[in-house]
Amino acid sequence: MSEWWKEEVVYQIYPRSFCDSNGDGIGDLPGIISKLDELKALGVGILWLSPVYASPNEDNGYDISDYRAVNPEYGNMDDMDRLIAEAKERGIRVIMDLVINHTSTAHPWFQASRDPASPYRNYYYWREGTNGKLPNNWTGFFGGSCWAYDDRSRAYYLHLFAPHQADLNYHEPKVLEEVKEILRFWLDRGIAGFRCDVINILWKDSLQSSPKKAVLTGSDHYLSLEGTHRILREIRNILDEYDAFTVGETVFVDTKQACDLSAPERRELNMVFGFEHMECDQRIVKWFKTDFHPARLAKALSRWQQQVPWNTLYLENHDQPRSVSRFGSARYPIHSAKLLATMLFTLKGTPFIYQGQEIGMTNFDFTSMAQVQDVESRNIDALLRSWHVPARQRWRMIAPTSRDNARTPMQWTVEPQAGFTTGTPWLGVNGNYRFVNYASQKENPDSLLNYYKQLIPLRRGSETLLFGSFEPLRISDEVFAYRRVGTGEAYTVVLNFSDKPQRVPYVGELVLSNYGYNRYDGLLQPCESVILRERMDDHVKTK
Ligand code: TEU
Ligand code: CA
């Protein structure tokens, strides 16, 4: 099997918010096709589409009602075929989101399963509560219980996410057989692989109650269990027939579990998304934001770099606030966005760009819950309200962490609605599009976008940046420095996360500074990042 996915850069598209071709305010497949030249120019080799399947959109496509149909809001199967073909012409592979932990409750399987006599009954977890109580005490990812009652069934069904996302029951062997056919359906159309949604929680070993936990009571019954490993190996057999690629979204994994899920010899996933570095600014996941400490981010990343053979490198996706708002300096936003990009493309692993990250899109400018659509934010808001938390306080907790921060429409131009649509966008456009937009950055040689266009070929053209080993040099709240060592050469990357100049002892020939400098003397400007190169023969060991 070739490992083609190691050298590529992935670009994640959230279709609803990327580009609207017909003025209905919703991004679509023809819109994506119209931007393929831009993606090619950026240097992207893989496009990951968040779900475009038929869906009632309770969770914007992560609630699928037909795995073999394109959501008409986004286009039709011809558009999908055209996207795959046009991307291929430009050397870009398309991967899809595979959401198989749950289906929409609108899916025909679920609708049939509501009848206790149906052959589909066992596709889901139906349980009667005992003595008017819920079947167990588990809590869901979006807050509250994960059981919903269905009158027609006179029973509860399990949903680890929203009530409209019913968990599939993999104890029923037919479920995996269905999934395999869905995989073949898309692989035969030319899809190059899948990003696998919450893939490490498929197998539930039992539905017993669990000891109460701060986050997610019950998770000991489904996190990365042997049953899941077995399913992943079966799926991999099919993927290997097509030389296809998988990246697993794996929740609550440590480096050991990440290795178990992605080690090549185990033949499960090719790589996984860990979350530890994304939790470095959150005390209780999602709910309270504390200050960002660069050392915590660097420490988490370093540990993963050293302990996991091949990483995903990401700072954003459709579930996370924008990286420049989170990890960047308010005084030096552009330099810090470039610094973060420097880090993204010089660590070891496959880099993922989330749409808009390459132009430094920021968190939304919404001022109240009324502008938010995300089901997770709305659930958390309702839960906090039920605890009598005042509205202002609720907003202060939700605004910085809401998933809608990442979902505002892509900012293409200075035209109304940022050129995303000629109609009314489904979610508000950030007012800063007048100065944060693709078109103006394309023209400006010093822009973030053009900095990405320098970094991507730099990584691609260097065996050392692609495959060299990783060694941390310094981890502090001011400076994160590390070395990538290859044959005959080494790169030293120095990132000054602070707003103050920093003197550092590292040496080497300057390859790239995010200030555009062509001289380096060991003194870094605020939020300056440098990539230095040394040939091994003139290599002097530095600390
Ligand atoms: O996310 C899984 C997941 O862990 C998230 O719920 C995460 O806890 C939260 O969003 C962090 O803010 C995946 C998808 O990426 C997400 O969009 C879906 O809502 C979810 O699965 C259910 O399919
Ligand atoms: Ca549209």
Side-chain angles (χ1 to χ4, degrees), residues 82-93:
R82 198 154 58 85
L83 171 60
I84 297 169
E86 295 228 3
K88 190 171 176 194
E89 263 171 41
R90 293 164 176 83
I92 299 175
R93 293 168 161 102

Side-chain angles (χ1 to χ4, degrees), residues 59 62 99 102 141-142 161 165 195 197-198 249 251 275 286 318-320 376 403 407:
D59 189 16
Y62 285 91
V99 188
H102 41 266
F141 281 71
F142 294 156
F161 294 89
Q165 292 165 304
R195 175 269 188 187
D197 192 59
V198 290
E249 187 209 25
V251 289
F275 282 79
K286 283 306 269 184
H318 63 293
D319 291 336
Q320 300 287 340
E376 180 186 68
R403 304 193 299 182
R407 300 176 181 183

Side-chain angles (χ1 to χ4, degrees), residues 71-130:
N71 186 333
E73 289 175 325
Y74 299 147
N76 56 33
M77 206 48 98
D78 288 343
D79 296 321
M80 194 63 202
D81 290 341
R82 198 154 58 85
L83 171 60
I84 297 169
E86 295 228 3
K88 190 171 176 194
E89 263 171 41
R90 293 164 176 83
I92 299 175
R93 293 168 161 102
V94 178
I95 68 169
M96 291 180 86
D97 222 299
L98 183 72
V99 188
I100 54 169
N101 175 67
H102 41 266
T103 72
S104 165
T105 50
H107 195 289
W109 300 337
F110 184 85
Q111 285 305 318
S113 86
R114 295 172 70 194
D115 173 0
S118 157
Y120 289 96
R121 182 67 168 179
N122 207 28
Y123 273 41
Y124 297 87
Y125 291 102
W126 287 102
R127 290 292 182 280
E128 285 164 27
T130 35

Side-chain angles (χ1 to χ4, degrees), residues 140-159:
F141 281 71
F142 294 156
S145 166
C146 52
W147 293 98
Y149 191 72
D150 181 49
D151 283 330
R152 163 135 176 245
S153 261
R154 292 170 188 264
Y156 296 90
Y157 63 89
L158 178 74
H159 63 89

Side-chain angles (χ1 to χ4, degrees), residues 19-28 73-74:
C19 179
D20 174 23
S21 70
N22 62 353
D24 65 357
I26 297 172
D28 47 50
E73 289 175 325
Y74 299 147

